[in-house]
Amino acid sequence: MTDAIAAAAGVDRRTVYRRFASREDLMAAVYGARYDAVEAAIEAARLREAPVAVALHRYVEGIIAVNRKLPVETSRMLREVTLRERRRLIDEVDAFLQRATDEGLLRSDLPPGWVATVLPPLMEHAAEDLSELSAAQAADVVVDTLLRGVGTPQAR
């Protein structure tokens, strides 16, 4: 990981180690930068103000772009002590998903939290596996998959 960070920054590994006292400090900085980028994507999506379909696409597109720029394991990131107090973003997305359900974009008969569980892996896979598509095009695939599923109309 350190080599990849050094390469992305255009410096050698020793420079990275001189800047950060420990691997933990380095990872905290990476996680903080990713969290800042996620926060900016959420703000740009206007989850509270924009029509839900528009906000959903903006959100997915923004997160796919973040996933491509800062591809870190999010489960580790969420355990980072310095980020725990910043979990309000999760609450904001959850509130948006509830709004999308209340307004009829998402199904109301699904188990609580299901969409919030399946959406992040869809965005992660789109960022990695659909690299030939722009973030907007990959968001089209994710949103279509989320809203329509993968079954054929006859199968439903």
Side-chain angles (χ1 to χ4, degrees):
M1 162 88 63
T2 306
D3 290 334
I5 291 169
V11 298
D12 66 23
R13 183 183 182 128
R14 292 176 304 213
T15 302
V16 172
Y17 280 114
R18 278 194 301 271
R19 172 83 165 87
F20 298 98
S22 67
R23 185 180 195 302
E24 290 75 25
D25 289 348
L26 171 62
M27 294 312 298
V30 170
Y31 295 153
R34 180 181 166 84
Y35 203 92
D36 291 343
V38 167
E39 188 171 50
I42 288 173
E43 288 174 14
R46 299 181 50 230
L47 298 180
R48 293 182 191 158
E49 306 85 18
V52 292
V54 173
L56 177 62
H57 195 280
R58 286 180 184 162
Y59 168 69
V60 171
E61 182 179 346
I63 299 303
I64 289 171
V66 170
N67 288 344
R68 287 178 174 171
K69 183 177 180 182
L70 295 162
V72 300
E73 186 181 336
T74 55
S75 63
R76 282 186 180 175
M77 184 180 94
L78 293 175
R79 289 191 304 262
E80 173 61 37
V81 174
T82 61
L83 297 179
R84 286 194 186 138
E85 68 275 4
R86 294 177 76 180
R87 290 185 54 92
R88 70 165 184 79
L89 293 182
I90 294 170
D91 295 337
E92 190 166 340
V93 172
D94 286 345
F96 167 72
L97 294 174
Q98 185 59 55
R99 176 180 164 227
T101 302
D102 294 344
E103 293 187 20
L105 185 70
L106 299 174
R107 289 174 36 192
S108 61
D109 62 332
L110 295 171
W114 182 245
V115 175
T117 299
V118 298
L119 184 55
L122 286 174
M123 295 185 293
E124 288 177 27
H125 286 291
E128 295 170 14
D129 301 336
L130 302 176
S131 60
E132 72 282 1
L133 301 179
S134 69
Q137 292 168 324
D140 290 342
V141 173
V142 170
V143 170
D144 187 62
T145 301
L146 183 70
L147 297 180
R148 293 179 188 28
V150 296
T152 63
Q154 305 88 305
R156 293 184 194 148

